Amino acid sequence: HPAVAAADVVKVYGSGDAAVHALRGVSVTFAKGAFTAIMGPSGSGKSTLMHCLAGLDAVTSGRITLGGTEITGLGDRRLTLLRRERVGFVFQSFNLLPMLTAEENILLPLRLAGRRPDRAWFDRVVDVVGLRDRLTHRPGELSGGQQQRVACARALVTRPEVIFADEPTGNLDSRAGAEVLDFLRLSVREMGQTIVMVTHDPVAASYADRVVFLHDGRIVSELAAPTPQTVL
Ligand code: ADP
Ligand code: ADP
């Protein structure tokens, strides 16, 4: 089964005259280990689609499956548990806790889930994001790019099947953005994660294996890289 799939997903906000049709029948699958970018103009439904795929937002109709489990219709409790186990998030605004060190921020999802850190995996993630010598720093002592790499490590520490990234380079300069994207691509190649990234930046999208274009709540086209780009 694919890592994530949407079948004929419709999302309507509000009702009557005030109804906004954010998604008008979206069907798309994300294969395990693929790095996909979702692009489209502002208001085309990118964030709504990502939130529906991640189970953060309920669909109006249609079905979403995450790791083979249908999530449409699951209660909040089960959905929260499923997200905790299978999904990692990276947001535009890094969402790190300022009073915690980088290491404590990275380990937070495990602490919240009451899980014991897998030290070997933690070390691997920290080395891949290149933060070994920054672990004792607090977010305020890190650059924007380093903070976002901490956020990426935090998203990976639970070994999620899927990482959802919403404009992960939106607050970064182009060089820091490239570091974060290199890392996301590396995590796909090295650790087999599936990444779904919303972006309106063509440079960011160029790191993906596949680009899905949304317009007015529909998928209007798709591009796939001919061969996975070689890293290193
Ligand atoms: P994008 O991420 O591509 O900018 P969004 O998914 O944020 O697009 O929005 C798609 C449409 O849904 C827009 O018309 C937006 O105004 C509307 N929308 C998004 N969230 C809400 C909400 N919570 N309530 C009402 N309308 C919303
Ligand atoms: P912005 O693009 O305005 O900076 P973010 O990218 O940080 O916002 O967040 C995008 C969306 O994800 C928002 O609708 C926000 O409510 C939601 N969100 C942000 N942080 C979390 C979180 N830790 N868990 C769940 N949803 C979140």
Side-chain angles (χ1 to χ4, degrees), residues 23-179:
L23 299 175
R24 300 170 184 267
V26 170
S27 298
V28 60
T29 61
F30 301 90
K32 281 181 195 156
F35 183 177
T36 306
I38 300 176
M39 295 194 80
S42 184
S44 57
K46 302 183 297 295
S47 294
T48 301
L49 177 59
M50 201 196 85
H51 289 171
C52 288
L53 292 171
L56 291 169
D57 211 350
V59 302
T60 304
S61 66
R63 288 185 306 139
I64 305 276
T65 53
L66 247 180
T69 306
E70 181 167 350
I71 62 167
T72 16
L74 286 186
D76 282 347
R77 245 182 76 93
R78 286 213 44 207
L79 211 50
T80 302
L81 286 175
L82 195 91
R83 261 205 311 271
R84 219 176 249 172
E85 279 170 13
R86 301 203 181 162
V87 175
F89 292 98
V90 177
F91 295 99
Q92 179 172 349
S93 48
F94 323 125
N95 291 349
L96 301 176
L97 294 185
M99 69 295 263
L100 300 184
T101 65
E103 173 160 356
E104 289 163 345
N105 267 291
I106 294 169
L107 291 172
L108 193 61
L110 291 174
R111 289 181 58 189
L112 290 175
R115 280 165 60 186
R116 197 186 297 271
D118 169 346
R119 213 63 214 180
W121 177 256
F122 173 83
D123 284 341
R124 195 167 163 204
V125 168
V126 166
D127 287 335
V128 171
V129 296
L131 288 171
R132 176 67 55 200
D133 57 350
R134 292 286 180 276
L135 287 178
T136 59
H137 292 56
R138 289 176 218 286
E141 302 161 332
L142 298 172
S143 70
Q146 288 168 342
Q147 289 183 58
Q148 191 62 305
R149 283 185 285 142
V150 171
C152 288
R154 179 185 57 184
L156 274 168
V157 78
T158 58
R159 289 180 181 247
E161 289 161 43
V162 189
I163 291 189
F164 291 100
D166 195 351
E167 299 282 5
T169 59
N171 284 323
L172 301 176
D173 62 37
S174 57
R175 191 174 149 190
E179 280 172 7

